[in-house]
Amino acid sequence: MAESLVTLENLSVRFDGRPVVDQVNLAVRRGDIITIIGPNGAGKTTLIKTILGIQKASEGQVKLARHLVLGYVPQHLSLESTLPLDVRRFMRLSGQPSGVCETALARTGVDHLIDASVHHLSGGEKQRLLLARALARKPDLLVLDEPAQGVDINGQAALYDLIRQLRDELNCGVIMISHDLHLVMAATDKVICLNQHICCSGYPADISHDPAFIETFGRPVADSLAVYHHHHNHRHDLHGDVVDGGHGDAPGHGHGDHEGCNHAHS
């Protein structure tokens, strides 16, 4: 069995006594791509912040592999707009040698922007820059909070393809949050449906049939969980509804067991 990079044991986080993350058990192993989905307020970002050590757990444990190197891609790049900062200088802030930074930029396809102002980058270019900064650390575990935020549909597909390639090249684990069900179901190995607790988890093609998934997201979305092909030209929101036109692909096929629960959600 692959090495466990992070293990969560009965992890709970409470704010003012209110559970935001409740009794979560999860293991991320080398080679995994695990995607966390869930409605707004489900505790997704809190969960990964706890893994990163940014947020303290109220109960339970976060066990990290010894000498674990983490690479983090936040949802947004927040910089003071009046601060002059080009891509080269931004990468130097990672503390990695310039050659390593340039290699990382080339791998994520933005090395031609090395002298460009960070403030003038498009959404997709910023996300690739953030991924390059994480990649420069040669991480064992990539933690991605909405990595395709602000990226157009074609850019999202390419970005998820790149994440899979980096997983293979680095033999790292990946845990990410995403709202785009259609693309993420093609880009991930396992889906975790979170609504404070883990409602259900499993292979992408199986999870959409789980009663807890249907209860949380409103209705089955089996037709929207097709394996991505490059002719795909639409996307779905959290309820599986098409939000920008086009026609669906043929349904994908999954395998394996999935786990669910029958907790009610408000």
Side-chain angles (χ1 to χ4, degrees), residues 8 11-15 18-24 26 36-51 55 75 145-146 175-179 192-199 216:
L8 309 182
L11 181 73
S12 294
V13 179
R14 288 188 292 271
F15 296 151
R18 180 177 62 89
V20 177
V21 174
D22 188 25
Q23 296 290 303
V24 168
L26 175 65
I36 302 172
I37 62 173
N40 290 335
K44 303 182 297 295
T45 296
T46 299
L47 181 67
I48 64 169
K49 283 184 175 179
T50 308
I51 291 172
Q55 174 63 48
Q75 188 174 145
D145 189 354
E146 293 279 4
I175 184 167
M176 63 179 167
I177 292 172
S178 181
H179 278 100
I192 304 291
C193 179
L194 187 74
N195 199 358
Q196 280 77 57
H197 64 285
I198 293 178
C199 306
T216 301

Side-chain angles (χ1 to χ4, degrees), residues 4-5 12-14 19 32-33 51 57 70 76 81 96 100 109 130 161 163 173 186 194 231 237 240 246-247 251:
S4 181
L5 300 172
S12 294
V13 179
R14 288 188 292 271
D32 284 345
I33 298 182
I51 291 172
L70 287 162
H76 300 289
S81 60
Q96 302 301 315
V100 171
L130 289 170
D161 282 345
I163 289 166
L194 187 74
H231 62 266
D237 63 17
H247 300 285

Side-chain angles (χ1 to χ4, degrees), residues 2-3 5 7 10 16 29 60 79 87 103 125 147 170 194 253 266:
E3 175 190 3
L5 300 172
T7 304
N10 299 316
D16 298 324
R29 296 182 173 84
L79 295 170
V87 167
T103 299
E125 289 166 347
L170 296 169
L194 187 74
H253 299 282
S266 57

Side-chain angles (χ1 to χ4, degrees), residues 158-228:
L159 192 61
Y160 284 128
D161 282 345
L162 176 60
I163 289 166
R164 289 191 72 87
Q165 292 169 26
L166 294 175
R167 183 275 310 265
D168 294 341
E169 292 168 17
L170 296 169
N171 189 29
C172 65
V174 177
I175 184 167
M176 63 179 167
I177 292 172
S178 181
H179 278 100
D180 193 313
L181 291 182
H182 189 108
L183 288 180
V184 95
M185 290 299 190
T188 193
D189 300 321
K190 186 176 183 181
V191 178
I192 304 291
C193 179
L194 187 74
N195 199 358
Q196 280 77 57
H197 64 285
I198 293 178
C199 306
C200 49
S201 64
Y203 292 107
D206 297 330
I207 200 73
S208 65
H209 302 289
D210 190 287
F213 183 97
I214 295 167
E215 184 180 0
T216 301
F217 292 107
R219 64 181 175 82
V221 291
D223 290 342
S224 72
L225 303 186
V227 173
Y228 173 80

Side-chain angles (χ1 to χ4, degrees), residues 85-88 112-121 125:
L85 187 65
D86 62 22
V87 167
R88 187 193 310 274
H112 62 291
L113 298 170
I114 195 163
D115 294 316
S117 168
V118 172
H119 303 294
H120 297 156
L121 301 182
E125 289 166 347

